[in-house]
Amino acid sequence: MNTQQYGRSIVLVIGLLMGITLGAARVEAAKKVSFSGTMILASNESGPTDAQLKKYEGKLRRLFKFKRYRHFGHGGASIEIPGKAAFSLGNGYRMQVDVSPAPKNQIRAGVRWVKGKRNLINTVLVMQKGVPTILGGPSHEGGNLIVILEAN
């Protein structure tokens, strides 16, 4: 191998290593967040709170003052940051989430809660992973719908 061929080989190896390094950086930059939404029917009818909502019951009672909280649907999606996704909450309700990074390891989420073509909530939230956000929604069956949205 002469000097010129040796030089080309070194340039080729360096180019390949740079490509691998840049590719790994792109993969690392494409972080994901998992969103879950729990839809609740809050009402003043008597009865216990659903067992799966017990961990939220104290906060729900402080914010909304209803007597009963029933699980009404659940859904979720994994989303690359930045990116968007939609998921069903059940009973014809959907959540559309458009995420981007925010300062201090937070997530900026454009959130639309819809039923059919009707927008129920359209807002932007700055969320911390693992900290639930509670959204009060429309009247339904003598009570109100609520969604607990969580990013992990």
Side-chain angles (χ1 to χ4, degrees):
M1 179 181 285
N2 66 32
T3 306
Q4 190 174 19
Q5 289 173 326
Y6 184 76
R8 283 188 205 142
S9 295
I10 289 176
V11 170
L12 180 61
V13 169
I14 290 171
L16 287 172
L17 289 174
M18 285 179 62
I20 291 168
T21 303
L22 291 173
R26 278 191 211 112
V27 168
E28 189 175 355
K31 294 184 179 183
K32 286 190 174 191
V33 62
S34 294
F35 274 87
S36 67
T38 301
M39 191 165 50
I40 299 164
L41 178 57
S43 69
N44 282 320
E45 68 183 45
S46 59
T49 295
D50 284 352
Q52 57 206 14
L53 302 175
K54 285 290 186 189
K55 68 180 179 180
Y56 306 114
E57 185 176 18
K59 191 169 210 171
L60 289 168
R61 289 194 186 286
R62 279 191 307 278
L63 291 172
F64 298 104
K65 311 283 189 221
F66 288 99
K67 292 180 181 175
R68 184 172 185 204
Y69 298 92
R70 288 188 307 146
H71 185 269
F72 199 66
H74 183 84
S78 182
I79 308 170
E80 284 190 17
I81 303 173
K84 54 178 94 176
F87 55 91
S88 172
L89 292 169
N91 296 295
Y93 293 89
R94 297 185 56 73
M95 189 67 65
Q96 300 170 351
V97 184
D98 186 351
V99 296
S100 58
K104 299 179 183 174
N105 206 24
Q106 296 176 320
I107 301 159
R108 178 182 164 91
V111 175
R112 283 183 55 213
W113 180 6
V114 298
K115 180 162 188 181
K117 294 185 181 201
R118 195 171 127 224
N119 279 328
L120 305 175
I121 299 281
N122 190 4
T123 190
V124 176
L125 306 168
V126 177
M127 301 176 70
Q128 187 73 38
K129 285 186 177 183
V131 178
T133 300
I134 300 176
L135 302 170
S139 298
H140 186 78
E141 295 180 5
N144 272 71
L145 293 176
I146 298 169
V147 166
I148 299 174
L149 189 62
E150 224 170 323
N152 289 301

